[in-house]
Amino acid sequence: MASLRSIAAVAALLTNSVNAVAPPVVKRAVPALAQVINQKAFNVIPTVPPAEEFNASSPPWTPLNFTAAALKEKPFHVYDDEFLDIIGPNPTFTILAETPKDPIFHEAVVWYKKKDEMFFVQNAGNPDAGTGLNKSAAIYKISLKQADAVKNTRNAVGKVDVTLVKASFEVPNPNGAFQYKGQILIAAEGSGPKIEPALIVMNPEPPYNTTVLLNNFFGRQFNSLNDLSINPRNLDIYFTDPTYGLSNNFRPAAGMPTQVYRFNDRTGAVTVAADGFIMPNGITFSPGGKYAYVTDTGMWRNGLELLNPSSIYRFTVQEDGTFEDRKTFAFTDTNIPDGVHCDSKGNVYAGVGDGVHVYNPSGKLLGKIYTGRTAANFQFASDGRLVIMGETQLYYATIAARGDFVEEYL
């Protein structure tokens, strides 16, 4: 039987051989801010560390022959030549804003078309934010006109205003959001046992009036509402309900399973669309509403639990709006898939531990918009503009792909 030392030597030999002869994956012209990541070059590597040394919660992996600085220098990583059609011939990438510690660039990213503004919220329950039980996470916005003016500058910190939005009634720990009849529909996590989670509509113009749309399931509190989307086929609202409020110490023990719900705001009907999740998180629909994509971030529930999912699941949406045919669409390679969105051609984008990963409709990884840090969520403006949340950094990318929207609700 071969010794471990001889096996390692063979592995090193194979690695050197593969790296020497592996053909380039992409033969087309690559934009200035893009670089090809040849997956064959790291199919075999000299040393594969055990899980206690390297796992999905570790800092982003650096492929062979790359450095962390080099990966950031050209942030559009091409894993498949289909990605070149998505980013186009001249993608741009800019840091718009940053904070020393406070993670104000977190979730609930939603585009207000009328004024070309992007809204987003602070991280709820993060110690560096001081939010959760005693102080609600705040809502902010930026002007995309200002962002467009600096899109060809890699670092535009200080040149774009980050404006605090003070709603007429404070939204208790907002986390997810979606366009809703010219307004913004927010999934609020709640605070403590007395301030329940709710779906809240906010007018995106001063004084930012709010209206509670739904705050219970037949008299029972939800756990801590996380994200939501509207199906373009039936215009029903679908939302996720994990227990992150409990995990972050600002909500009491859960009273219901962690599920995906469906809400018909015309009739008031609330039903369960899907269960079987540990932490259902991001949710979106394909163009036309045929498929639903739901992320399960159970790997982070009560601390790190590596045997739990960090996956995107796909469901077929039936004509009557029900979910069927659950399928594992993707398992992310870096931390967890949080926010998830589709472009107009059905490609799936997920915010993960090193930026935004882009998959084609079959689940093949096409490329990454690499930030080198967690991108909890992001959102398109219609014409290829993408605002990416990096917790303490805010990014702006322009690409060829166009976001998919429920036009009736813009």
Side-chain angles (χ1 to χ4, degrees), residues 233-234 236 238 262 271 316-324:
R233 179 185 296 176
N234 56 31
D236 284 356
Y238 294 75
R262 175 187 179 189
T271 57
T316 300
V317 183
Q318 300 300 311
E319 289 292 336
D320 62 3
T322 57
F323 287 3
E324 290 188 3

Side-chain angles (χ1 to χ4, degrees), residues 221-274:
Q221 286 191 6
F222 294 107
N223 299 320
S224 50
L225 302 187
N226 190 278
D227 204 358
L228 62 112
S229 189
I230 294 175
N231 185 295
R233 179 185 296 176
N234 56 31
L235 300 184
D236 284 356
I237 301 162
Y238 294 75
F239 58 93
T240 60
D241 188 35
T243 56
Y244 279 119
L246 172 63
S247 299
N248 291 306
N249 302 309
F250 64 87
R251 283 285 294 149
M256 291 194 291
T258 52
Q259 302 178 129
V260 177
Y261 292 86
R262 175 187 179 189
F263 176 47
N264 183 324
D265 60 339
R266 286 88 65 203
T267 67
V270 187
T271 57
V272 174

Side-chain angles (χ1 to χ4, degrees), residues 90-148:
N90 189 33
T92 66
F93 184 85
T94 307
I95 300 176
L96 294 182
E98 63 183 0
T99 66
K101 291 177 63 178
D102 190 354
I104 69 173
F105 313 114
H106 180 57
E107 285 255 30
V109 202
V110 63
W111 178 47
Y112 179 42
K113 180 180 180 180
K114 180 180 177 182
K115 288 197 169 180
D116 203 18
E117 296 173 329
M118 195 70 82
F119 287 74
F120 52 89
V121 303
Q122 188 180 27
N123 193 324
N126 187 298
D128 289 328
T131 52
L133 188 58
N134 298 315
K135 183 181 77 172
S136 176
I139 303 172
Y140 295 87
K141 69 176 182 178
I142 61 168
S143 163
L144 292 188
K145 181 178 179 180
Q146 288 186 349
D148 285 330

Side-chain angles (χ1 to χ4, degrees), residues 119-374:
F119 287 74
F120 52 89
V121 303
Q122 188 180 27
N123 193 324
N126 187 298
D128 289 328
T131 52
L133 188 58
N134 298 315
K135 183 181 77 172
S136 176
I139 303 172
Y140 295 87
K141 69 176 182 178
I142 61 168
S143 163
L144 292 188
K145 181 178 179 180
Q146 288 186 349
D148 285 330
V150 297
K151 69 179 183 180
N152 291 311
T153 304
R154 289 299 300 273
N155 190 328
V157 173
K159 297 181 179 180
V160 173
D161 298 324
V162 178
T163 303
L164 178 66
V165 174
K166 293 186 177 182
S168 61
F169 169 79
E170 186 174 66
V171 179
N173 293 310
N175 194 79
F178 203 83
Q179 297 95 348
Y180 181 75
K181 301 178 181 178
Q183 302 188 83
I184 298 175
L185 180 60
I186 300 172
E189 296 188 83
S191 180
K194 300 296 185 180
I195 303 177
E196 70 279 354
L199 295 179
I200 297 174
V201 180
M202 185 184 80
N203 190 317
E205 307 218 16
Y208 305 109
N209 293 326
T210 59
T211 303
V212 177
L213 196 65
L214 176 72
N215 72 351
N216 75 96
F217 180 79
F218 295 90
R220 299 162 68 180
Q221 286 191 6
F222 294 107
N223 299 320
S224 50
L225 302 187
N226 190 278
D227 204 358
L228 62 112
S229 189
I230 294 175
N231 185 295
R233 179 185 296 176
N234 56 31
L235 300 184
D236 284 356
I237 301 162
Y238 294 75
F239 58 93
T240 60
D241 188 35
T243 56
Y244 279 119
L246 172 63
S247 299
N248 291 306
N249 302 309
F250 64 87
R251 283 285 294 149
M256 291 194 291
T258 52
Q259 302 178 129
V260 177
Y261 292 86
R262 175 187 179 189
F263 176 47
N264 183 324
D265 60 339
R266 286 88 65 203
T267 67
V270 187
T271 57
V272 174
D275 63 4
F277 299 95
I278 295 177
M279 286 291 200
N281 197 317
I283 183 170
T284 197
F285 294 94
S286 64
K290 180 179 179 180
Y291 296 115
Y293 297 93
V294 181
T295 65
D296 191 336
T297 54
M299 192 187 83
W300 288 106
R301 178 174 54 174
N302 298 310
L304 179 64
E305 301 178 44
L306 288 172
L307 296 185
N308 286 347
S310 54
S311 304
I312 305 170
Y313 295 96
R314 190 183 80 181
F315 297 84
T316 300
V317 183
Q318 300 300 311
E319 289 292 336
D320 62 3
T322 57
F323 287 3
E324 290 188 3
D325 305 324
R326 177 184 174 121
K327 171 186 176 180
T328 302
F329 177 78
F331 176 77
T332 56
D333 64 78
T334 308
N335 215 301
I336 53 176
D338 199 332
V340 62
H341 303 282
C342 286
D343 67 22
S344 60
K345 294 186 177 179
N347 297 303
V348 180
Y349 299 60
V352 297
D354 60 354
V356 177
H357 291 191
V358 183
Y359 305 86
N360 74 1
S362 72
K364 178 174 66 173
L365 177 66
L366 302 181
K368 300 181 181 182
I369 304 174
Y370 188 85
T371 63
R373 62 170 63 210
T374 294

